[in-house]
Every structure is written in C-alpha cells, then in structure tokens.
Amino acid sequence: MLAAAMATIAEHGLDGLTMAGLGREVGMSSGHLLYYFRTKDELLLRTLEWSEGRLGAERSALLSRPATAAERLEAYVDLYVPDGPRDPHWTLWLEVWNRSQSADDDARARQAAIEGAWHRDLVALLAEGVSRGEFRAVDPDRYAARLRALLDGFSVHVAVGIPGTGRDQVLAHVREFIADSLLP
C-alpha cells in the first residue's frame, strides 16, 4: 500500500493521491484503507516513514563505506537534496510538514524521529571528521543543525522549482559552504 501511495505521488503529485484511488490501485475499498490508516494524514505519515526507512538504509550504506569523511559528507548531501521539482519524497515531506501544525503529539514525535535520524548520522560523521583532522574543530551538533537548515531551505526551493535553484546550483552552493566553513 505504501509503495503504491509513493508511486501515485511520484506520478500524479499529492492531488492525485486519494483514498479511493489508492484503494483501486491495491484492490481495497477506501473504507478498508481508512480502517488501517484512520485519516489521510496518517497514510501520508506512514508513507513518509516507509520512504525514510528506505532512505535510512541507503544513508547507512553510504556513511559506512570506506571513504574519507568529506567524501561521505558529499554523499550525505547528495542523498538529502531532492532530484528536482516534484521529487516525490520531498513532495511528501512538504505536505507532512505543512499538516504537522495540527498533528497530534504522536505524529509530531514520529516526525521528530525521522528528523533525528538524519541529524544523528550527520553529527556522528562530523565528529569523526573532526577527530581525524579532516574537518575544522567545530561543534558537530551545532554545525549539523546549521547545515541541515541550509539543506532544508535549498531543498524546498528545488522541490517546488524556484528558478535559479536547481539541484546542480544548490549542490554547488552547499559544497562552497562546506569548503569555506568546515574543510581545513
């Protein structure tokens, strides 16, 4: 069901994802889907969790490969930044973030867990790079918070297609920022 929801988002955007349409796609009634998900918000959050699980496995593989901390940081950034406008993962993230204003505590905690995984991985990578002398002596947690804010801001621009902020331009800006602020 979650893979079908993500495929629908990729093909038709969020407007194309309806409980009735998803039900037809997976051979269930919309009522049956509502039994499992209660609301469209829950469906979106579970789909995001599923997608993040896949990205988390990919991120773990990238971060554990034999490479310098700088090379792995570049891979982390490459994975983080959307592929382009209407990137389905980022489209879903943006919708879940938007709906989080009225989300219950459980949903907000689940979103925070997703954010926390990205943050912890980045902090660990930065700490490793600092300890090996590959990066300047920065506070890994503070630097990670700032870098992720930069990545989030640029990624939103890429995902919504703001002119002049395509993926290649964003990656160049981020590389420059890292070179200026982190590399010795």
Coordinates of all heavy atoms in Angstrom, one line a residue, residues 119-120 122-124 126-127 138-148:
H119 N 19.8 13.8 11.6 CA 20.7 14.7 12.4 C 21.8 13.9 13.1 O 23.0 14.2 13.1 CB 19.9 15.5 13.5 CG 20.7 16.5 14.2 ND1 21.0 17.7 13.6 CD2 21.2 16.5 15.4 CE1 21.7 18.4 14.5 NE2 21.9 17.7 15.6
R120 N 21.4 12.8 13.8 CA 22.4 11.9 14.5 C 23.5 11.4 13.5 O 24.6 11.4 13.9 CB 21.7 10.8 15.2 CG 21.0 11.2 16.5 CD 20.5 9.9 17.2 NE 19.6 9.1 16.4 CZ 18.3 9.3 16.2 NH1 17.7 10.4 16.8 NH2 17.6 8.5 15.5
L122 N 24.5 12.8 10.8 CA 25.4 13.9 10.4 C 26.3 14.2 11.5 O 27.5 14.5 11.3 CB 24.5 15.1 9.9 CG 25.3 16.3 9.4 CD1 26.3 15.9 8.3 CD2 24.3 17.4 9.0
V123 N 25.8 14.3 12.7 CA 26.6 14.7 13.9 C 27.8 13.6 14.0 O 28.9 14.0 14.2 CB 25.8 14.7 15.2 CG1 26.7 14.8 16.4 CG2 24.9 16.0 15.1
A124 N 27.4 12.4 13.9 CA 28.5 11.3 14.0 C 29.5 11.4 12.9 O 30.7 11.3 13.2 CB 27.8 9.9 14.0
L126 N 30.4 14.2 11.3 CA 31.1 15.4 11.6 C 32.1 15.2 12.7 O 33.3 15.6 12.6 CB 30.2 16.6 11.9 CG 29.3 17.1 10.7 CD1 28.3 18.0 11.2 CD2 30.2 17.7 9.6
A127 N 31.7 14.5 13.8 CA 32.6 14.2 14.9 C 33.7 13.4 14.4 O 34.9 13.6 14.8 CB 31.8 13.6 16.0
V138 N 34.9 22.0 14.8 CA 33.6 22.6 15.0 C 32.8 21.8 16.0 O 33.2 20.6 16.3 CB 32.8 22.7 13.7 CG1 33.5 23.5 12.6 CG2 32.6 21.3 13.1
D139 N 31.8 22.4 16.6 CA 30.9 21.6 17.4 C 30.0 20.8 16.5 O 29.2 21.4 15.7 CB 30.1 22.6 18.3 CG 29.0 21.9 19.1 OD1 28.4 20.9 18.7 OD2 28.8 22.4 20.2
P140 N 30.1 19.5 16.4 CA 29.3 18.7 15.4 C 27.8 18.9 15.5 O 27.2 19.0 14.4 CB 29.7 17.3 15.7 CG 31.0 17.4 16.4 CD 31.0 18.6 17.2
D141 N 27.3 19.0 16.7 CA 25.8 19.2 16.8 C 25.4 20.6 16.2 O 24.4 20.6 15.5 CB 25.4 19.1 18.3 CG 23.9 19.0 18.4 OD1 23.3 18.1 17.8 OD2 23.3 19.9 19.0
R142 N 26.1 21.6 16.6 CA 25.7 23.0 16.1 C 25.9 23.1 14.6 O 25.1 23.6 13.9 CB 26.5 24.0 16.8 CG 26.1 24.3 18.3 CD 27.0 25.3 19.0 NE 27.3 26.5 18.2 CZ 26.5 27.6 18.3 NH1 25.4 27.6 19.0 NH2 26.8 28.7 17.6
Y143 N 27.0 22.5 14.1 CA 27.3 22.6 12.7 C 26.2 21.8 11.9 O 25.7 22.2 10.9 CB 28.7 22.1 12.4 CG 29.1 22.4 10.9 CD1 29.7 23.6 10.6 CD2 28.8 21.5 9.9 CE1 30.1 23.9 9.3 CE2 29.1 21.8 8.6 CZ 29.8 23.0 8.3 OH 30.1 23.3 7.0
A144 N 25.9 20.6 12.4 CA 24.9 19.8 11.8 C 23.5 20.5 11.7 O 22.8 20.5 10.7 CB 24.7 18.5 12.5
A145 N 23.1 21.2 12.8 CA 21.9 22.0 12.8 C 21.9 23.0 11.7 O 20.9 23.2 11.0 CB 21.6 22.6 14.2
R146 N 23.0 23.7 11.6 CA 23.1 24.8 10.6 C 23.1 24.2 9.2 O 22.5 24.8 8.3 CB 24.3 25.6 10.9 CG 24.2 26.4 12.1 CD 25.5 27.1 12.5 NE 25.3 27.9 13.7 CZ 26.3 28.5 14.3 NH1 27.6 28.4 13.9 NH2 26.1 29.2 15.5
L147 N 23.9 23.2 9.0 CA 24.0 22.6 7.7 C 22.6 22.0 7.2 O 22.2 22.2 6.1 CB 25.1 21.5 7.6 CG 25.2 20.8 6.3 CD1 25.5 21.8 5.1 CD2 26.3 19.8 6.3
R148 N 21.9 21.4 8.1 CA 20.6 20.8 7.8 C 19.6 21.9 7.5 O 18.8 21.8 6.6 CB 20.1 19.9 8.9 CG 20.9 18.6 8.9 CD 20.4 17.5 9.8 NE 19.0 17.2 9.4 CZ 17.9 17.5 10.2 NH1 18.1 18.0 11.4 NH2 16.7 17.2 9.8

